[in-house]
Amino acid sequence: MSKMNPPEFPIGCLFVQDTKTSRLVAMVDGLAVLRPTGSDAHDNQDFTMTVEQIRENMKRVDFEIKFPTAAYMKGATAMRTSGDQYVDLDDEAKQKILFSICCCIALEELAREKAIKITETSIDANFHIVEKRIEELYRKASGTPRRGNAKRVEYVVPAGETLVKQYRTYATDSFDPVDLNTKHSNAGRPRKQFPQWVVDLMHEALEPNLDDREPKLIRCYEDLKGKVLIANRERSTTVPDHTDVKVSERKFREFAKSMDPASVKVSRKGWDELKRTMRLGFGELKARMIAEAIQIDECEMPLWTFLEMTGLDKVVGAKTMRQLEREAKAGDVGKIWILVAVDVATGFPLAFHLAQNPNADDTLELLRRLVSDKTQLARDAGCENAPPPPVRPFMIMMDTGSGLWNNTIPHAILSLGAMFRFGRTKSPSDKAFIERFFATLGSDLLKALHGYNGEGPGKQTGYDGQEMAVMSMAQLEKILWWYFTDCLPFKATQRKGAWGGIRHVIFDRIKRMYGMLPALSHREVRRAVGLRVTRKVTKMGIEAFRMPYQGNEAFRRWVPRNIGATLTICVDPNRIEEVTAITNDGQVFYLKACLSQFKHFSLREWRHFLEEWRATDPVTEEIAVEALYRFYNRVRAEMDGLLAFYGKEHKVIKRAEAQRLADTLAGSDMTILHGEDASPSATLSALAEPIGMGEGVYTPGDEAAVEDVDEGDDADKPDVATSGGDKSPAKKVQKFTGAPEGKGSLK
């Protein structure tokens, strides 16, 4: 086992602070010599920074380091750290490797054309086809012309068993051409071939085992011996020069083992089971570096908890207490899920997250915790030790759960600069590390908590976990932080190669020997797995989640020319101090929060603080009460004026309702007066005359002066009283209500 300890800050990495970029050119006695990009040694712009200052600046949201990944991947299984290198081999060895690679490519092409299967039996049965294709590819790759009738090249094509082994080496993710340097050219020898009639008998004898009707191969072999014996007797009399053939039990078992697994699965379980379980898996995974291979999965915990939404908040006020009281009275209990990310190289859990119903958003939160600093979360939970460090994943492996098999998670993983692979359904061996961790979590922690649901049928006791539920999700999360940070790292592990060592000691040792990729910066995390919202540009900048943001001088010059434009805002839910703004044409701006006293809040804490502030702030409450009081006074004064003007009888009615009311007030027998019997009214021509001319038109509620009329006078033509006459008779004030006399009034 070789030791690989990469430098913490390799020469050539870029340091980005806000908008200034510098390159590391040298390390001298713990001092990093930095040079601004675009300048050279003759510009005399170099400056120094201590390693402690660099580590402290890495915690800032506007500081990031762009590392050359190749300088760190030398400690991974994908990079060769020992043995011969391809460039150091002689020409003869390189030609042998080239021939072996041509053999593997030929097998792939023939399998794609469905001419053969990449199995020992199929290759040996079609050896002439495989040999011809390998010779063609090797001549083309090496530039060797075909001379005359020469049909062979200078290397002998191996037998099927050797070709299958070479192809398995070639198909691995960590393939290196040196792995095919076997020190000989014609490895293996042609295997013994049975006549076709014997092969047919072997298929016939093996059929009960393939159909799952006969589970024992020895019974099939006994049947084969009888069939071969009878066939030898018959062929000895009918076939000239016949030689008896015998099939040993070892050869028969090798023949059964060489059968295509897909064919066996179809024969035994059918096509549906084949499609579900025979997809490509990733088998036994190997990793040396921390975060070189990470397995993530979700599991429903056998624990009853209260399903409440209140978390570990910094501010707890009246609103939160009322919410907790309502949730306690409701008593909704249920089981929740836990999502965990486990490192393959160390078996160490790097992040976890709780969810009621896991979906893509919960998996994104797990990825954020995986690549972000979790110190603040652990401190809020009351942990005594540091949480697992943030990592830069290289390969993430997961299954096809509801929160993993979607369109969001693969894009997020690729945005982090990592690769991903899906495992097969019903194949826990593809995720052996994390499946084993779930068993450890259940035996160590869950059995010790109230509300535990038991291990399954047959093991239930009189203890009712649902009735004994006493914890909320927030309380369970706090206990899990204690377990992951203060308990599990100090436990011994029995994993292969650990020899009962302490987990955190093994983690530190592997980190020293093989290293780990540098953590992602805040800006890279925010761009890859942050929340994305759209906002309109205003003169004051951008507001996201009630937090105002403003940018540097370049952004302030850009804003006046783009008022009303739409920006995509990337927000890190774990820290709202800075956001990334992306324009439609691809420009990127980094905006700072204007309320700097809340810059260390997470998004959930900030929104919770706003709710508590609105509910409990006395100044805000006083302003709201005074505003409502003034508003109600204005409305009351307006209503009083309307009632005084229209009278208490006034109300708004519809036209049809007014017509029915008028008909009722007039009585059932209405007589329309014509000519001289009609009442005084304004004519159409009088409406066009100036004010004061023509007959008066009265509305309900107006007061009019009417002359007293003697009984002997002509009552049919009353004179309209004038307001300025001195010799006018005595006047009587009458209030016109719009209803005939004795018929009531409008209600």
Side-chain angles (χ1 to χ4, degrees):
M1 184 169 57
S2 60
K3 182 176 180 180
M4 176 62 197
N5 189 12
E8 183 176 5
F9 304 107
I11 303 300
C13 60
L14 295 177
F15 290 72
V16 181
Q17 185 172 1
D18 201 6
T19 58
K20 300 177 181 179
T21 305
S22 305
R23 185 181 302 275
L24 179 63
V25 295
M27 291 290 295
V28 181
D29 297 333
L31 290 177
V33 181
L34 302 176
R35 180 177 299 163
T37 56
S39 62
D40 53 24
H42 301 288
D43 294 336
N44 297 324
Q45 296 184 7
D46 296 356
F47 61 97
T48 60
M49 186 180 296
T50 63
V51 176
E52 289 74 14
Q53 290 176 341
I54 296 176
R55 293 171 182 168
E56 190 65 27
N57 288 335
M58 290 178 65
K59 301 178 182 179
R60 299 173 51 183
V61 296
D62 58 348
F63 186 87
E64 59 180 330
I65 303 178
K66 297 182 179 180
F67 296 90
T69 306
Y72 284 86
M73 287 308 297
K74 291 182 180 179
T77 56
M79 305 294 290
R80 179 174 295 274
T81 58
S82 63
D84 298 330
Q85 302 294 325
Y86 182 79
V87 295
D88 300 329
L89 299 178
D90 55 10
D91 295 337
E92 183 180 359
K94 291 181 180 179
Q95 287 297 322
K96 290 180 181 180
I97 293 176
L98 179 61
F99 179 78
S100 300
I101 293 177
C102 291
C103 294
C104 299
I105 296 175
L107 294 180
E108 280 188 339
E109 291 182 354
L110 292 174
R112 195 180 304 117
E113 298 170 3
K114 298 183 178 180
I116 65 167
K117 297 178 180 178
I118 307 179
T119 60
E120 180 182 348
T121 304
S122 179
I123 294 174
D124 290 337
N126 303 276
F127 191 80
H128 62 287
I129 301 176
V130 176
E131 185 180 31
K132 182 179 179 181
R133 181 64 62 87
I134 292 175
E135 291 176 357
E136 293 176 356
L137 290 176
Y138 179 69
R139 284 196 180 97
K140 186 183 298 183
S142 62
T144 304
R146 183 166 184 170
R147 298 178 181 176
N149 294 327
K151 297 182 179 180
R152 303 186 64 85
V153 294
E154 56 187 7
Y155 297 107
V156 180
V157 178
E161 182 180 4
T162 304
L163 287 176
V164 171
K165 291 181 180 179
Q166 289 183 357
Y167 180 78
R168 289 174 181 173
T169 304
Y170 171 80
T172 57
D173 292 336
S174 58
F175 168 72
D176 191 282
V178 183
D179 298 334
L180 297 177
N181 186 25
T182 57
K183 306 299 183 182
H184 51 82
S185 59
N186 55 340
R189 58 183 177 83
R191 299 178 63 85
K192 179 181 179 180
Q193 298 293 326
F194 290 104
Q196 186 60 39
W197 64 273
V198 177
V199 175
D200 294 339
L201 290 178
M202 295 171 70
H203 276 288
E204 184 179 351
L206 190 61
E207 186 175 354
N209 180 266
L210 297 180
D211 295 341
D212 211 15
R213 291 183 283 116
E214 180 55 66
K216 298 292 186 179
L217 274 177
I218 188 63
R219 304 288 181 265
C220 299
Y221 175 66
E222 292 174 352
D223 184 34
L224 174 66
K225 287 194 301 183
K227 292 181 179 180
V228 171
L229 181 61
I230 296 174
N232 281 330
R233 291 175 181 175
E234 294 178 352
R235 294 177 68 87
S236 63
T237 58
T238 58
V239 178
D241 300 331
H242 170 73
T243 304
D244 290 347
V245 179
K246 294 183 179 180
V247 181
S248 64
E249 182 181 350
R250 183 176 65 86
K251 291 292 184 182
F252 181 71
R253 290 186 178 274
E254 290 179 356
F255 176 78
K257 189 177 181 180
S258 65
M259 297 297 294
D260 185 14
S263 301
V264 177
K265 180 66 70 173
V266 170
S267 301
R268 294 181 176 179
K269 302 297 183 180
W271 282 101
D272 293 337
E273 188 68 14
L274 172 70
K275 295 176 182 178
R276 185 167 58 250
T277 61
M278 294 296 291
R279 290 193 3 259
L280 179 65
F282 28 79
E284 184 180 358
L285 289 166
K286 298 179 181 179
R288 291 174 179 164
M289 291 181 62
I290 296 175
E292 180 185 353
I294 295 175
Q295 294 181 1
I296 63 176
D297 199 2
E298 53 195 17
C299 176
E300 185 182 28
M301 293 192 295
L303 189 71
W304 293 95
T305 58
F306 288 106
L307 302 179
E308 48 82 17
M309 301 303 296
T310 305
L312 303 173
D313 297 300
K314 295 181 179 179
V315 181
V316 178
K319 185 176 184 301
T320 303
M321 298 305 297
R322 289 194 298 268
Q323 181 180 352
L324 289 173
E325 183 179 358
R326 288 194 302 268
E327 292 168 350
K329 291 181 179 179
D332 295 333
V333 296
K335 297 179 182 179
I336 59 177
W337 292 67
I338 183 171
L339 292 83
V340 183
V342 175
D343 179 47
V344 173
T346 61
F348 202 80
L350 299 176
F352 78 95
H353 175 62
L354 295 181
Q356 292 189 16
N357 295 304
N359 51 31
D361 294 336
D362 295 310
T363 310
L364 281 178
E365 178 61 27
L366 177 67
L367 293 177
R368 292 190 199 103
R369 295 190 177 190
L370 177 66
V371 299
S372 302
D373 186 17
K374 299 171 281 292
T375 304
Q376 187 62 40
L377 293 174
R379 186 181 295 115
D380 294 340
C383 298
E384 299 176 358
N385 297 280
V391 298
R392 180 193 296 261
F394 182 74
M395 168 72 75
I396 294 180
M397 292 152 290
M398 50 193 173
D399 61 6
T400 55
S402 59
L404 306 171
W405 183 275
N406 49 60
N407 193 35
T408 304
I409 302 305
H411 281 82
I413 295 175
L414 294 176
S415 300
L416 291 172
M419 298 180 289
F420 67 91
R421 296 181 70 176
F422 286 107
R424 296 170 294 181
T425 57
K426 298 184 179 180
S427 298
S429 59
D430 287 349
K431 311 181 304 300
F433 296 94
I434 194 167
E435 297 292 351
R436 183 62 187 90
F437 173 76
F438 285 143
T440 303
L441 179 65
S443 61
D444 284 353
L445 177 63
L446 299 183
K447 288 185 177 181
L449 301 178
H450 283 296
Y452 181 65
N453 193 46
E455 295 179 353
K459 296 187 179 181
Q460 295 285 357
T461 63
Y463 180 84
D464 190 346
Q466 187 172 2
E467 292 292 334
M468 294 298 294
V470 295
M471 290 187 304
S472 64
M473 287 182 60
Q475 293 165 336
L476 177 59
E477 183 178 3
K478 180 171 64 175
I479 295 175
L480 285 172
W481 272 113
W482 295 350
Y483 176 74
F484 278 91
T485 305
D486 298 336
C487 176
L488 187 63
F490 301 94
K491 283 189 58 183
T493 177
Q494 299 299 327
R495 63 177 280 127
K496 185 177 180 180
W499 302 103
I502 305 300
R503 293 177 183 267
H504 78 89
V505 176
I506 296 173
F507 186 89
D508 295 339
R509 184 179 64 191
I510 292 179
K511 182 178 179 181
R512 288 194 309 270
M513 295 184 65
Y514 300 109
M516 60 184 293
L517 290 176
L520 294 164
S521 65
H522 292 278
R523 292 178 176 178
E524 292 173 324
V525 173
R526 187 166 58 241
R527 185 79 175 268
V529 293
L531 295 179
R532 289 178 175 258
V533 295
T534 56
R535 292 292 184 267
K536 296 287 186 180
V537 179
T538 63
K539 295 181 179 179
M540 302 301 295
I542 295 295
E543 180 179 310
F545 303 103
R546 300 293 182 182
M547 172 65 76
Y549 289 92
Q550 187 57 265
N552 54 11
E553 184 179 355
F555 178 75
R556 290 193 293 269
R557 289 197 304 265
W558 180 85
V559 165
R561 302 191 300 269
N562 297 273
I563 298 296
T566 302
L567 291 178
T568 301
I569 308 299
C570 302
V571 184
D572 185 1
N574 296 322
R575 196 166 183 178
I576 61 175
E577 179 181 356
E578 186 183 69
V579 298
T580 302
I582 306 174
T583 64
N584 294 331
D585 56 357
Q587 297 187 59
V588 179
F589 297 103
Y590 299 105
L591 312 181
K592 295 292 185 64
C594 296
L595 304 178
S596 58
Q597 62 269 35
F598 303 105
K599 64 181 181 180
H600 297 297
F601 273 33
S602 66
L603 180 59
R604 183 177 60 83
E605 292 170 345
W606 166 245
R607 299 177 71 171
H608 176 76
F609 170 77
L610 290 180
E611 294 174 358
E612 290 290 350
W613 177 69
R614 295 192 189 101
T616 59
D617 183 57
V619 178
T620 304
E621 185 177 358
E622 181 181 350
I623 293 175
V625 171
E626 184 177 357
L628 285 175
Y629 175 74
R630 293 178 179 178
F631 171 72
Y632 287 147
N633 284 341
R634 292 180 62 185
V635 172
R636 191 179 298 109
E638 185 71 14
M639 293 297 101
D640 292 343
L642 292 175
L643 290 177
F645 180 75
Y646 290 107
K648 295 182 180 181
E649 299 85 2
H650 173 72
K651 71 173 184 178
V652 179
I653 58 176
K654 297 182 180 180
R655 180 177 179 181
E657 185 180 355
Q659 184 64 42
R660 289 194 302 270
L661 181 61
D663 294 344
T664 303
L665 294 176
S668 60
D669 184 14
M670 295 186 63
T671 302
I672 300 177
L673 302 179
H674 299 281
E676 297 179 353
D677 296 331
S679 60
S681 60
T683 62
L684 293 176
S685 60
L687 295 176
E689 296 179 358
I691 299 176
M693 301 179 64
E695 299 291 344
V697 180
Y698 301 99
T699 59
D702 290 345
E703 296 181 355
V706 183
E707 293 182 353
D708 292 332
V709 182
D710 295 337
E711 294 180 358
D713 295 337
D714 190 359
D716 296 335
K717 298 180 181 180
D719 295 332
V720 179
T722 60
S723 59
D726 296 334
K727 299 180 180 181
S728 60
K731 298 180 180 179
K732 179 180 179 182
V733 178
Q734 179 180 358
K735 188 173 183 180
F736 182 73
T737 62
E741 184 177 356
K743 295 295 183 179
S745 59
L746 292 174
K747 299 294 185 182

